């Protein structure tokens, strides 16, 4: 065993994905064999080169006014074929159920009439929008892109932590991480048969084109961004460039006679599909925030008239509501007549009096989450909270129990991570991305692994100091993955990323 792993210290209740006690798990055998030939100083130099490359690309984020490279750990996370097969089936099942659920919620409402979920749960969700009612997408798809957050519990089972069906972000890191790690560990990556991730933009473009309004055979697709000062602008620009479509802002669009048009140097041109990376509330000042300058007036009316498709659909946020999440197992059974492939994390609904009483008695043992929170904001981890913090939380729960859920403290699985010159276990989650073209739900083989870089930290979000890892899904024996294919995809992706980095540098902004 390499001295690099001496004193690694994987232990405690968390499931370590590389080691089972002192025994190495099979997916990591080749990775260990490659890394044991490398000295720690050599690994440090490669880490420094990795960080420099991300700064050069503009893959950065801002902490206290200081621009830093988005943290990418040099050690990849490896997932074997059989494990990924279960994840793949579970994510596909979940997206199909969410698709049927959202279509029903904004139309017939059978899920309410049949008692699967109370109507009040949806009507009181901050992400429910009446303006989206009865808008029927051309090919029936509302969830064109989904990000399903998974964790691996202390028994090694993958479970769903939350759903993202509004504007899921992070896929740019999946692609750029692969490129960066391929450069940092070339001798290691060539020893593995890893399923490529660079084909995502073409999958996404195909799904967006398939969603074009009826009768449009050669649709114009655009990516709608809030602009260069948005934290995910790098991703917006990268996806537009790799799909070969225009990146537009709200000021580039205008609605005329129920159609959306794009301003060009040759005049107005029709737009048929908008992959929007703007939250619902800022999309159309006619129906939502009147002070928004990010969207375009009349866009919702154009979608209702069937002249443009918004991807993802407006109103999808009800599926992201963490109270709705607690009903997803029943929703899957209702629409698909199947048992969930991936189980939820055990959760208490605070709007239920008995559950609320139990949670109030156990505040110092549980994790409390706001139902419409994101980025780890508002989460209270009971065992780490002070008595004063718990007292404040108790008042909030009693004032608005619908706004909270409670879960046990789940020890997220750990993966070896190189931090401050040392190797140690750090907690991770996984966000697989799914693309729905109306005929098939395709899951990108890999996804975004987020890692909590602080020792013992359970919140992995970048806003809380987290980073990411390249996620390697090993190819099965019947899958043909050649080194040449991987290199060709990486070169195409590198060219697009370099072009985007140049654009960002020209605009003088940072993107994370």
């Amino acid at each position: 065993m390499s001295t690099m792993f001496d004193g690694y210290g994987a232990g405690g209740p968390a499931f370590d994905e590389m080691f089972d006690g002192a025994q190495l798990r099979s997916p990591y055998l080749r990775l260990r064999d490659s890394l044991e030939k490398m000295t720690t100083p050599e690994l440090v130099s490669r880490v420094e080169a990795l960080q420099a490359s991300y700064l050069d690309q503009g893959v950065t984020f801002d902490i206290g006014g200081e621009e830093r490279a988005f943290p990418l750990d040099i050690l990849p996370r490896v997932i074997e074929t059989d494990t990924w097969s279960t994840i793949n089936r579970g994510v596909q099942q979940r997206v199909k159920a969410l698709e049927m659920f959202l279509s029903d919620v904004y139309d017939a409402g059978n899920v309410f009439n049949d008692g699967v979920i109370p109507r009040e749960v949806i009507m009181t969700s901050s992400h429910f929008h009446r303006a989206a009612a009865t808008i029927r997408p051309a090919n029936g798809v509302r969830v064109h892109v989904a990000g399903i957050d998974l964790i691996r519990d202390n028994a090694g089972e993958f479970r769903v932590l939350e759903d993202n069906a509004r504007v899921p972000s992070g896929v740019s890191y999946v692609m750029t991480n692969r490129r960066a790690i391929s450069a940092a560990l070339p001798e290691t990556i060539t020893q593995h048969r890893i399923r490529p991730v660079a084909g995502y933009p073409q999958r996404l473009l195909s799904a967006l084109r398939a969603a074009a309004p009826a009768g449009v055979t050669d649709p114009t697709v655009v990516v709608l961004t809030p602009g260069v000062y948005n934290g995910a602008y790098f991703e917006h620009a990268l996806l537009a460039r790799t799909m070969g479509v225009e990146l537009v802002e709200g000021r580039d669009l205008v609605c005329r006679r129920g159609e959306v048009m794009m301003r060009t140097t040759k005049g107005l041109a029709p737009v048929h599909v908008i992959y929007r990376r703007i939250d619902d509330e800022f999309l159309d000042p006619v129906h939502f925030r009147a002070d928004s300058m990010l969207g375009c007036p009349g866009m919702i009316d154009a979608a209702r008239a069937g002249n443009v498709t918004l991807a993802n659909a407006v109103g999808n946020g009800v599926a992201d509501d963490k109270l709705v999440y607690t009903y997803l197992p029943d929703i899957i059974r209702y629409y698909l007549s199947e048992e969930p492939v991936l189980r939820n994390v055990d959760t208490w609904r605070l709007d239920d009096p008995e559950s609320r009483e139990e949670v109030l008695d156990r505040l110092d043992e549980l994790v409390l989450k706001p139902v419409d929170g994101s980025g780890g904001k508002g989460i209270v981890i009971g065992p780490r909270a002070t008595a004063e913090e718990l007292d404040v939380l108790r008042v909030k729960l009693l004032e608005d129990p619908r706004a909270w859920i409670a879960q046990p403290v789940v020890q997220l699985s750990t993966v070896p991570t190189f931090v401050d010159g040392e190797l140690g276990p750090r907690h991770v989650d996984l966000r697989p991305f799914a693309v729905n073209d109306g005929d098939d739900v395709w899951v990108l083989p890999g996804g975004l692994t987020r890692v909590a870089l602080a020792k013992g930290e359970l919140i992995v979000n970048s806003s809380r100091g987290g980073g990411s890892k390249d996620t390697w899904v090993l190819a099965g024996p019947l899958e043909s993955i050649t080194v040449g294919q991987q290199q060709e995809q990486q070169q195409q992706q590198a060219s697009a990323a370099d072009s985007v980095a140049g654009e960002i540098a020209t605009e003088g902004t940072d993107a994370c």
Side-chain angles (χ1 to χ4, degrees), residues 43 201 259 328 359 375 389 503:
L43 191 63
E259 296 183 349
L328 250 294
V359 168
E389 290 171 333
E503 291 175 358

Side-chain angles (χ1 to χ4, degrees), residues 443-462:
V443 183
L444 176 67
L448 177 64
T449 288
R450 298 180 296 182
V451 54
L453 298 177
K455 187 174 183 180
E457 178 62 66
L458 294 174
I459 299 178
V460 300
N461 305 81
S462 59

Side-chain angles (χ1 to χ4, degrees), residues 135-183:
I135 295 180
R136 297 181 176 89
N139 65 340
V141 175
R142 296 183 60 92
V143 187
H144 303 82
V145 180
I148 308 299
D149 289 353
L150 309 178
I151 58 95
R152 203 169 192 176
D153 63 18
N154 55 11
E157 178 186 357
F158 276 98
R159 294 197 182 205
V160 179
L161 186 64
E162 63 181 53
D163 304 291
N164 297 278
R166 276 181 297 171
V167 192
S169 63
V171 74
S172 60
Y173 297 136
V174 178
M175 297 187 290
T176 54
N177 285 357
R178 178 61 52 82
R179 176 200 174 195
I181 295 301
S182 298

Side-chain angles (χ1 to χ4, degrees), residues 78-129:
V78 185
I79 300 177
E80 58 189 343
T81 303
D82 291 345
T83 300
W84 179 256
S85 177
T86 300
I87 293 173
N88 186 74
R89 288 188 296 109
V91 171
Q92 287 178 330
Q93 180 193 60
R94 197 142 181 128
V95 172
K96 290 176 183 177
L98 286 171
E99 187 68 67
M100 298 174 74
F101 170 68
L102 287 166
S103 177
D104 192 10
V105 162
Y106 285 103
D107 205 319
N110 293 322
V111 71
F112 308 133
N113 300 332
D114 292 335
V116 180
I117 183 172
R119 188 183 298 269
E120 182 183 6
V121 170
I122 300 300
M123 300 303 156
T124 56
S125 173
S126 61
H127 300 300
F128 175 74
H129 297 304

Side-chain angles (χ1 to χ4, degrees), residues 93-94 97 328-338 340:
Q93 180 193 60
R94 197 142 181 128
L328 250 294
D330 290 333
I331 288 171
I332 290 172
R333 297 183 187 103
Y334 176 70
Y335 289 111
L336 303 178
S337 299
E338 300 172 353

Side-chain angles (χ1 to χ4, degrees), residues 238-252:
L238 179 63
L239 289 175
R241 179 59 59 88
T242 51
M243 287 193 292
V245 305
E246 293 292 335
L247 179 67
V248 301
E249 298 181 30
R251 60 189 176 182
D252 300 318

